[in-house]
């Protein structure tokens, strides 16, 4: 949407705080906004919340989140969503924040689908940028009919024949996660060597999972409801057909800060400079998590949580100078 077409007629949500990026930092910020009595909307280019965790390592165990000696990526994100749900934030998933207009009523942010959000303030928790899954060339038209980039629920693939396409860590993670529930799992990689860590490869090699290298998916066949089989071209020129009701395209993601770089924010390479309150150089616009930059910054989930709390408390004061910066203790709220 271009700036001159951004208007209140396009507004689909009106909130105190628009959070751009539903990764761990944005999700925690949504909880915190609610805790401060602020309404919040989360916009994310991905169809699922969780940012890098959901996109790249939902099945991996994380050991450095405070309070959890170890927790699977997917479980951490479920917990964050559940925590935020208490205050019912609005989710605008599968949409990009593209345009920004500042006027006397606050901020008007245009989304890639032509709608807009009106907000008193914005918290940018855009991580390393908007993620776009790398498409499976032969998968055109099969998304929603069996070709997937994410698996929000492993159990949904119970009893299915699954083909995972890719050679990196996430492809191997998906194989390990799906193997216990699927009827069969096959990994297909177009190169001769895998990029995944040796430990992961060894773990998969111990399972009864065919690993087809030098094999490219050339065609997906099925009906109007679902994929039924895929055709591969093998390195020698032969073809092979595999039965499949699910095809996981684990080919990685591209990440771009994109339109945010045009919002007249002070940038430090691919990050946004903030002060100790997490405010950017522009009024009512804050940043937290991987995308926020200041001297000594360490990009970790734990850091993002603290920054989200700092940002939201300072937003609360900027929106209403009569409220206190310190939120009080959650233990006193019941
Ligand atoms: C393989 C791997 C392992 C890791 N292991 C650990 C670990 O053990 N411990 C740890 O602390 N950290 C770990 N990290 C780092 C950790 O995942 C990040 O620090 C964390 O995800 C940052 O969270 P975030 O919410 O700030 O950003 P992100 O998780 O990057 O989320 C940002 C979200 O913003 C969205 N977005 C961006 N721009 C737009 C836009 N214009 N419109 C709409 N949506 C937009 C993106 O799609 C994305 O979903 C790991 C990272 C990787 C890749």
């Amino acid at each position: 949407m271009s700036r001159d077409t951004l208007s209140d007629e396009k507004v689909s949500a009106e909130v105190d705080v628009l959070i751009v990026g539903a990764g761990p930092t944005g999700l925690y910020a949504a909880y915190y906004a609610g805790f401060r009595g602020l309404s919040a909307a989360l916009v994310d280019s991905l169809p699922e919340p969780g940012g890098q965790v959901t996109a790249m390592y939902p099945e991996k165990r994380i050991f450095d989140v405070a309070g959890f000696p170890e927790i699977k990526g997917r479980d951490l994100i479920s917990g964050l969503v559940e925590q935020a749900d208490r205050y019912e934030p609005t989710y605008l998933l599968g949409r990009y924040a593209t345009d920004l207009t500042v006027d006397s009523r606050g901020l008007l942010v245009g989304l890639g689908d032509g709608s807009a959000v009106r907000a008193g303030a914005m918290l940018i928790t855009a991580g390393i940028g908007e993620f776009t899954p790398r498409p499976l060339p032969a998968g055109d038209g099969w998304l929603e009919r069996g070709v997937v980039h994410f698996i929000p629920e492993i159990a949904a693939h119970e009893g299915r024949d699954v083909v995972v396409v890719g050679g990196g860590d996430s492809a191997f993670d998906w194989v390990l996660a799906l193997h216990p529930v699927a009827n069969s799992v096959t990994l297909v990689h177009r190169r001769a060597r895998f990029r995944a860590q040796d430990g992961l490869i060894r773990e998969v090699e111990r399972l009864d999972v065919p690993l087809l290298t030098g094999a490219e998916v050339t065609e997906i066949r099925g009906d109007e409801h679902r994929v039924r089989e895929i055709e591969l071209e093998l390195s020698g020129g032969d073809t092979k057909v595999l039965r499949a009701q699910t095809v996981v395209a684990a080919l990685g993601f591209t990440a771009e800060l994109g339109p945010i770089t045009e919002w007249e924010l002070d940038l430090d390479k691919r990050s946004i400079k903030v002060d100790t309150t997490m405010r950017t150089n522009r009024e009512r616009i804050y940043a937290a998590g991987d995308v926020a930059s200041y001297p000594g910054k360490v990009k970790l989930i734990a850091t993002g949580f603290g920054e989200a709390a700092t940002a939201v408390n300072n937003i609360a004061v900027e929106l209403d100078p009569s409220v206190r910066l310190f939120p009080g203790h959650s233990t006193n709220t019941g």
Side-chain angles (χ1 to χ4, degrees), residues 1 5-7 9-11 95-96 98 110-116:
M1 193 195 309
T5 58
L6 197 55
S7 72
E9 287 147 42
K10 312 260 168 95
V11 168
R95 282 179 253 192
Y96 298 85
T98 51
L111 308 185
D113 66 351
S115 65

Side-chain angles (χ1 to χ4, degrees), residues 21 23-25 44-45 51-52 57 64 97 125-127 129-131 290 300-301:
T25 309
D44 203 298
S45 54
Q52 290 172 55
Y57 58 105
D64 58 351
T125 51
E130 63 199 36
F131 280 118
D290 276 14
L300 284 173
I301 294 167

Side-chain angles (χ1 to χ4, degrees), residues 284-308:
R284 294 166 175 252
I285 304 180
Y286 291 69
D290 276 14
V291 79
S293 154
Y294 50 82
K297 167 76 183 219
V298 179
K299 293 185 181 181
L300 284 173
I301 294 167
T303 325
F305 289 163
E307 292 171 359

Side-chain angles (χ1 to χ4, degrees), residues 124-322:
I124 305 175
T125 51
I128 51 175
E130 63 199 36
F131 280 118
T132 312
R134 287 211 175 87
L136 179 65
D140 230 13
W142 290 98
L143 281 177
E144 319 293 329
R145 287 193 291 157
V147 174
V148 296
H149 296 287
F150 298 100
I151 304 184
E153 236 191 291
I154 295 288
H157 301 272
E158 194 174 342
R160 289 198 178 145
D161 299 298
V162 180
V163 174
V164 178
V165 186
D169 283 356
S170 25
F172 279 78
D173 278 342
W174 289 129
V175 170
L176 290 171
L178 288 158
H179 183 260
V181 301
N183 181 49
S184 72
V185 183
T186 307
L187 186 127
V188 170
H189 184 40
R190 83 188 152 95
R191 298 190 193 284
R193 288 177 62 85
F194 298 117
R195 286 186 324 275
Q197 294 164 36
D198 290 344
L200 270 176
I201 298 174
R202 276 198 298 275
E203 242 183 290
V204 168
E205 279 172 345
R206 273 187 236 124
L207 306 174
D208 176 25
V209 168
L211 303 178
L212 303 181
T213 51
E216 200 151 352
V217 181
T218 48
E219 196 182 344
I220 294 182
R221 293 192 283 261
D223 53 35
E224 71 270 30
H225 304 297
R226 202 154 191 97
V227 170
R228 298 283 165 223
E229 57 184 32
I230 67 167
E231 189 174 286
L232 304 175
E233 186 176 309
L234 307 178
S235 47
D238 288 347
T239 55
K240 185 177 176 73
V241 174
L242 294 176
R243 212 157 57 143
Q245 298 88 49
T246 297
V247 179
V248 185
L251 303 169
F253 293 84
T254 53
E256 273 290 327
L257 214 44
I260 294 176
T261 57
E262 292 162 24
W263 291 354
E264 292 167 25
L265 300 168
D266 278 351
L267 300 177
D268 173 10
K269 298 190 188 112
R270 286 163 58 112
S271 308
I272 301 168
K273 287 189 191 172
V274 292
D275 63 18
T276 54
T277 69
M278 307 311 294
R279 209 187 88 169
T280 68
N281 57 307
R282 296 195 67 175
E283 280 179 19
R284 294 166 175 252
I285 304 180
Y286 291 69
D290 276 14
V291 79
S293 154
Y294 50 82
K297 167 76 183 219
V298 179
K299 293 185 181 181
L300 284 173
I301 294 167
T303 325
F305 289 163
E307 292 171 359
T310 300
V312 173
N313 283 308
N314 281 281
I315 286 173
V317 176
E318 188 165 351
L319 290 178
D320 179 0
S322 70

